[in-house]
Amino acid sequence: MFAAHSGAGKSTPVAWLHRRFGWPILSDDVTVIDAANGAVHARGGIPRLRWRDALSALAVPEDGLVRDLVRFDKFQMPSDP
């Protein structure tokens, strides 16, 4: 899990780790940490990368990707392109 200010570059290393090693993406934006009964669980949202910079850094073309409805500079890249 990476935590930093918006625009700090968290999505790019996540995308690289996913594409290089096949590590799953739990969520790109919000992950809830649930600590109950002595166990810690991460509850993620939609497992997609959305930042244009991350796609560009990995040479993933924007063609065919769905543009985010809220942020025009984001695209919805499934975690298994």
Side-chain angles (χ1 to χ4, degrees), residues 33-52:
I33 304 299
D34 177 18
N37 302 323
V40 177
H41 299 278
R43 314 269 186 219
I46 299 171
R48 294 175 178 232
L49 295 173
R50 301 190 315 149
W51 283 102
R52 173 180 275 164

Side-chain angles (χ1 to χ4, degrees), residues 17-36:
L17 290 168
H18 175 70
R19 291 185 59 124
R20 176 69 170 94
F21 299 108
W23 292 3
I25 298 171
L26 186 60
S27 178
D28 186 33
D29 280 327
V30 177
T31 301
V32 175
I33 304 299
D34 177 18

Side-chain angles (χ1 to χ4, degrees), residues 27 74 79-80:
S27 178
K74 291 185 178 188
S79 61
D80 58 346

